[in-house]
Amino acid sequence: MTRRRRRHLAVLAATTLVITGAGAGVARAEVPPDAPEQISNGDFSEGVTPWFSYGTGALDIVDGRLCTTVPGGLANPWDAGIGHDGVRLNAGAEYRLGFDISSAPGARVTAVLQLGTAPYTSYASVPAVAGTETQRVEQTFTVPDDNPNAQLIFQVGGTAAEQRLCLDNVSLRGGEAAPPYVPDTGPRVRVNQVGYLPGGPKNATVVTPSTEALPWQLRSAAGAVVASGQSTPRGVDAASGQPVQTIDFSTYQRPGTGYTLVADGETSHPFDISGDLYDRLRADSLQFFYAQRSGIAIDGDLIGEEYARPAGHLGVAPNQGDTAVPCQPGVCDYSLDVRGGWYDAGDHGKYVVNGGIAAYQLLSAFERTKTAETAAGGAALGDSTLRVPERGNAVPDILDEARWEIEFLLRMQVPAGKPLAGMAHHKIHDRAWTGLPLAPQDDPQPRELHPPSTAATLNLAAVAAQCARLFAPYDAPFAARCGTAASTAYAAAKAHPAIYASVNDGTGGGAYEDNNVTDEFYWAAVELYLTTGKKAYLDDLTGSALHTGDVFGAAGAFGWQSVAALGRLDLATVPNGLPAADRARIRASVTDAADRYLTALRAQAYGLPMPGDAGSYVWGSNSNVINNTVVLATAFDLSRDAKYRDGAVQATDYLLGRNALNMSYVTGWGEQNAHHQHSRIFGRQLDPSLPNPPAGSLAGGPNAALQDPYAAQLLNGCAPMFCYVDDINSYATNEVAINWNSALAWLASFLADQGAATAVAPRTCAVTYQVHGTWPDGSNTQVTVRNTGTAAINGWTVRYAFTGDQQVTQAWTAKVSQAGATVTARNESYNAKIAPGGSVTFGLLSRTGTLANPAPELITVNGGACTVS
């Protein structure tokens, strides 16, 4: 699903340069009528894009013109404006700026060409007196400096009366046409530049005009040929427009570093074959969230001194938030302390719907450790495994990181006693867009709460419900707080089921509009049911049409605007009380969707589980690739069928270099990797004193719609997979975002858990978990372990994790302990051996609280998963 269009603008300066060739008695510069046009969509025939505004009302297209309402009483002309980024200027070149303009009742307007970042140098200005009748304004001038990414701003503020202002036929001709952009794609043999798992699939793509199979060689770092074969012709790849062939070298499994693949006279970038290939990526992808934290000083000792900075948005000048943030005018009569959370993307805004899915995916990555046998009980995500300041507090670090966002989400809830109490404000961000780069602590803009929405409220309900069950073993008061917020939010959403965020509320931050919240209602009902087991939530989820429909999209299984699949995946994996037949149907729907993604993957010469048409390459396409891959990975966890694991592993190749651009989209990973992502914090491309995004940051990826002016001018006519540029100015193809990195973190954790990706071993044990009796605050359980293998078990350790808030209080015939949600039972001296076909039984008493406590479905013996009944 396409994300919102992101705009950025400069804080305008009041200075103006004298324009050469514009005054009386001065020879007018001649600009040929066929000189290059530097403005995109100046006649507004394609809508508003790529134009933006600040300090005005929404931009509308009326009778083919761009119109807006400008409030009266603004102190300065530059307090409101309409702008266009990505204007190419050449020093000494002559330009003609022209535009049609009207304003009622009438206003003075100045069109300014300027540098879009500090010090906001003005190159030229064109004044106009706009009245109720449309007039044409044209002026020629010479600019003094080169700038491939200047900004045109119509300064429209400073009038006493409110204005209705319209523009049309905006044109800037002159200078040089942008040279054809030819990306450096490196060697024509495209591989995963990080590497391959020893037992996993190993595929590459060769760009070649040859239609005959080509010989290939796999070479060691020393240059020795260690494997060879023939490629497979694939014709012209639809997504890239390239003639390609594919290479499969999966049979070679020897670990090593510095391998290269040679075909058609080209040598690939080097790569490794290793079972610990993705261990560091799990940590790197998660450290992105610490770097994006708001309201806390970032410790350079944890993630690198170049990323150290003071806390942002704690009300310390020049910040004007976030400890007491008022609403937009007319929205509410209170202020909220909404400190904390993660900065959403390249801006300083914080959005509940995007924060919701991002927090969910971190929580889901942890919850997977309770249900997936390859996750090894979550040891790799436990306390002191990540670079976060809370390490060492006996809480899994990934939960600590998720909590930073959840605390913010809870603060966005409308207080009791206020209109729409229990709802969640949709977002909080700057009143106007700011320029790049800008450190959070230096942001001078006023901050505003935007109206509550049903979508945001249901995101809060879903994530807070998930929080309640996952934090119960570690912080019961916080879990209870989450549970209360979840049920309150859900009730508020049911009372106000159709309050939607406005598509026009996009000044200073993204709109994140969503006018269909049936999926949010379904997801929230699922999470509340999984947490509480209450019939009311069960009735709501089973009564939804989404419960039995297909919820997995072809281009993207799920995203911030389409969340039904999150509920489906959790019903399939998290233990719950649904009838067995319904549970089987739900699980089958996951594997059915995974089969469709495998079909798509096999049809793509670059091996990604997404169709190759332009409509599939949207804003944040890389996250769609990953979310489809999450479905493949989940299908493997459910079925133990290696084809799904292999599909997930192969899909990752696309992200790490096996693509048309030969580009790893993850900063710091691969020989040629994205590192100039659109970000106000990580602006090294514009200011060498600043860092690039930290290692593990995911770029948005190819976007065939080219929804920013820089990409639109540079990449016009691109094949879908080529609609990307690693430049900070391209926010539509190259932004960072928390919901993209949360997807990467989930996938990286899954990949790291696969180790060498060896063959799936048959199970050699079976466990019967039987609750013999329950009472209001407890239960009596008997666990029987049977050896179904051919060798005796000499000493056993049984492990499983509770879903809810159970605590073991007593046990017999085994030494039983509990850490967090994980129960560990070890043999006594007299029952250590279990012969083939033999069994052993132990019992325990548990204290239960208010949450649902279904029987665990993953139980291991000596680290190996057993069949559970």
Side-chain angles (χ1 to χ4, degrees), residues 795-838:
W796 49 266
T797 298
V798 173
R799 283 197 177 89
Y800 56 87
F802 289 132
T803 299
D805 54 2
Q806 278 184 268
Q807 292 287 328
V808 174
T809 58
Q810 185 178 343
W812 52 94
T813 66
K815 301 181 181 73
V816 178
S817 60
Q818 183 174 349
T822 302
V823 175
T824 301
R826 293 182 172 86
N827 62 270
E828 298 282 7
S829 59
Y830 53 81
N831 61 2
K833 184 174 182 177
I834 310 175

Side-chain angles (χ1 to χ4, degrees), residues 403-416:
R403 181 171 180 165
W404 192 260
E405 178 70 8
I406 294 168
E407 294 269 16
F408 157 73
L409 297 177
L410 297 175
R411 294 186 182 110
M412 291 289 280
Q413 197 161 26
V414 177

Side-chain angles (χ1 to χ4, degrees), residues 344-409:
D344 174 66
D347 61 339
H348 299 136
K350 300 185 292 189
Y351 308 83
V352 171
V353 294
N354 220 40
I357 190 172
Y360 162 83
Q361 286 192 295
L362 265 62
L363 294 175
S364 178
F366 174 75
E367 191 156 40
R368 178 182 169 272
T369 67
K370 298 184 177 188
T371 61
E373 61 183 273
T374 60
L381 292 173
D383 188 26
S384 298
T385 59
L386 301 178
R387 301 184 287 276
V388 295
E390 297 85 0
R391 56 190 292 135
N393 65 351
V395 176
D397 286 346
I398 194 170
L399 292 186
D400 285 325
E401 189 57 72
R403 181 171 180 165
W404 192 260
E405 178 70 8
I406 294 168
E407 294 269 16
F408 157 73
L409 297 177

Side-chain angles (χ1 to χ4, degrees), residues 45 105 190 214 677 860:
S45 60
R190 310 290 161 78
L214 299 169
Q677 289 98 318
T860 65

